[in-house]
Amino acid sequence: MTSASRLTRFAAALAGAAVLATSLSAQARELSVSTVLSDAFPWGQAAEKWAELVEERTEGRLTLRVYPNSQLVAGDQTREFSAMRSGLIDMAVGSTINWSPQVPELNLFSLPFFMPDEAAVDAVTGGEAGEMIFEAIESRGVVPLAWGENGFRQVSNSRGPISEPGDLDGLKIRVVGSPLFQDTFNALGADPTQMSWTDAQPALTTGAVDGQENPLSVFDVARIDQVGQEYLTLWNYMNDPLIFAVNQRIWDSLDEEDQEILRETAIEAGEWEIAMTREEESERLAAIQERGVEVTELTEEQHRAFVNATASVHDKWVPRIGKELVEAARAAIEAR
């Protein structure tokens, strides 16, 4: 073989490699996924599990890059849905609470004392009411794919045990940026203070606020007892399902196979995270108690007092959420 032939073959091989690299590069695609919490929490682990499954099933053709701690919205978790709708964020594993300012139907889950137990949550998300909520999200330019779970929210404070509405009188309670939370704690006589989770822990440390409300997983992992939260009441006053979702334009740009993979893996990651969250609940409670936190569990009568005290919140918010949706959810709960 002449040296000219060798050079020609070498040049052809280089060209072929370049074409292959370009082809592979064109096929590989990275999508951003926003979450409020890191993978130290079940919420963040759900997003990481989704990313892991997608990369595996697409053999690296699609890569989901998870951005925790609301970093894609500069720490303002209530802007996440708007950012995804506008395309600043490709995808998210988000909270019904944080998205409720843009999707009023999601306030269903924040109605105080509406969801009595996990079976009720499953009946709502897995039935007609869940479909209605997904339709409401999709009508706003975001495609919902699956449910996850942040869990029932409990209340803690640094002042003393809470076992009746009067115990909340004047307590400054940190709440998320949802008007429904303001109304609920106002109805209970508390002083609700809206702030992001980033600002909440320093405020608890300094005593700028007396208490907060969150699922046990957040209380445990974030060691909220270390910032003066010595009293915890288990009252299950609302549930916060998570939703796996994707921007509509991103979704439309994918072929049917990749759409199906994204949906299937979201469902799988959601089911995995829900099971894990529920299984760990009793262990988390035991760990919290071992650290010296005084835990109050409400009797039926005590629980009823909180239900009665927040009845006006339902009167105000049911029309905003949609009576048809609330009735569908109530029917599902009663039939569970």
Side-chain angles (χ1 to χ4, degrees):
M1 184 182 293
T2 66
S3 58
S5 301
R6 288 194 188 95
L7 283 171
T8 302
R9 288 194 175 186
F10 181 63
L14 281 177
V19 168
L20 178 61
T22 301
S23 173
L24 289 172
S25 174
Q27 288 179 7
R29 185 176 182 185
E30 182 178 283
L31 300 172
S32 62
V33 182
S34 174
T35 66
V36 169
L37 296 177
S38 72
D39 61 4
F41 302 83
W43 186 341
Q45 290 164 24
E48 293 290 351
K49 182 70 170 179
W50 191 18
E52 175 189 314
L53 291 171
V54 167
E55 184 161 14
E56 178 186 301
R57 304 278 166 84
T58 64
E59 299 180 336
R61 188 173 62 254
L62 283 181
T63 302
L64 308 189
R65 184 175 178 185
V66 180
Y67 293 84
N69 303 316
S70 306
Q71 58 184 289
L72 296 180
V73 285
D76 185 354
Q77 57 216 55
T78 59
R79 287 177 49 217
E80 186 177 68
F81 186 85
S82 296
M84 180 167 45
R85 180 170 55 186
S86 67
L88 293 175
I89 293 172
D90 297 327
M91 308 161 76
V93 179
S95 155
T96 56
I97 299 168
N98 293 333
W99 294 1
S100 64
Q102 291 81 38
V103 188
E105 291 86 350
L106 291 175
N107 285 297
L108 173 74
F109 298 100
S110 298
L111 279 175
F113 307 102
F114 183 66
M115 305 272 176
D117 50 36
E118 290 166 349
V121 177
D122 293 343
V124 171
T125 57
E128 181 189 359
E131 291 174 6
M132 292 168 74
I133 288 168
F134 270 21
E135 287 169 8
I137 293 171
E138 192 154 6
S139 72
R140 291 168 173 88
V142 169
V143 181
L145 303 176
W147 296 96
E149 183 163 276
N150 198 25
F152 279 102
R153 298 174 80 90
Q154 320 299 353
V155 65
S156 71
N157 81 105
S158 58
R159 297 290 188 88
I162 295 172
S163 60
E164 59 182 47
D167 293 331
L168 279 156
D169 280 348
L171 285 185
K172 288 185 179 179
I173 304 291
R174 174 266 172 180
V175 295
V176 294
S178 164
L180 177 46
F181 280 68
Q182 298 273 347
D183 288 345
T184 296
F185 280 92
N186 280 328
L188 292 169
D191 179 8
T193 305
Q194 178 188 327
M195 60 178 65
S196 70
W197 182 239
T198 307
D199 297 328
Q201 285 175 291
L204 291 165
T205 303
T206 62
V209 293
D210 301 310
Q212 61 83 53
E213 51 76 52
N214 257 308
L216 287 183
S217 62
V218 175
F219 190 102
D220 182 31
V221 177
R223 294 297 191 267
I224 297 178
D225 49 287
Q226 293 181 0
V227 291
Q229 299 297 285
E230 299 173 13
Y231 304 94
L232 174 68
T233 294
L234 304 181
W235 63 347
N236 286 9
Y237 87 114
M238 58 140 313
N239 192 278
D240 181 23
L242 302 176
I243 298 174
F244 294 69
V246 57
N247 166 276
Q248 181 74 60
R249 290 187 295 279
I250 293 292
W251 180 256
D252 292 341
S253 72
L254 299 170
D255 60 34
E256 285 187 16
E257 180 187 357
D258 284 345
Q259 287 180 349
E260 189 57 30
I261 288 172
L262 270 187
R263 192 186 301 277
E264 284 180 354
T265 51
I267 292 170
E268 189 173 328
E271 290 175 344
W272 171 84
E273 187 265 344
I274 290 169
M276 175 182 63
T277 299
R278 294 178 182 180
E279 285 168 10
E280 292 177 345
E281 195 84 342
S282 59
E283 292 174 18
R284 292 194 185 283
L285 180 58
I288 290 165
Q289 289 176 302
E290 283 171 13
R291 296 200 296 269
V293 176
E294 184 176 329
V295 175
T296 299
E297 295 191 52
L298 301 180
T299 65
E300 242 180 83
E301 187 179 350
Q302 289 171 329
H303 183 268
R304 175 54 53 187
F306 283 101
V307 172
N308 293 339
T310 54
S312 62
V313 181
H314 286 243
D315 294 338
K316 179 178 179 178
W317 279 89
V318 166
R320 298 184 183 189
I321 295 166
K323 290 182 180 178
E324 186 180 350
L325 172 58
V326 174
E327 285 308 314
R330 186 171 284 123
I333 291 169
E334 289 173 357
R336 73 190 187 286

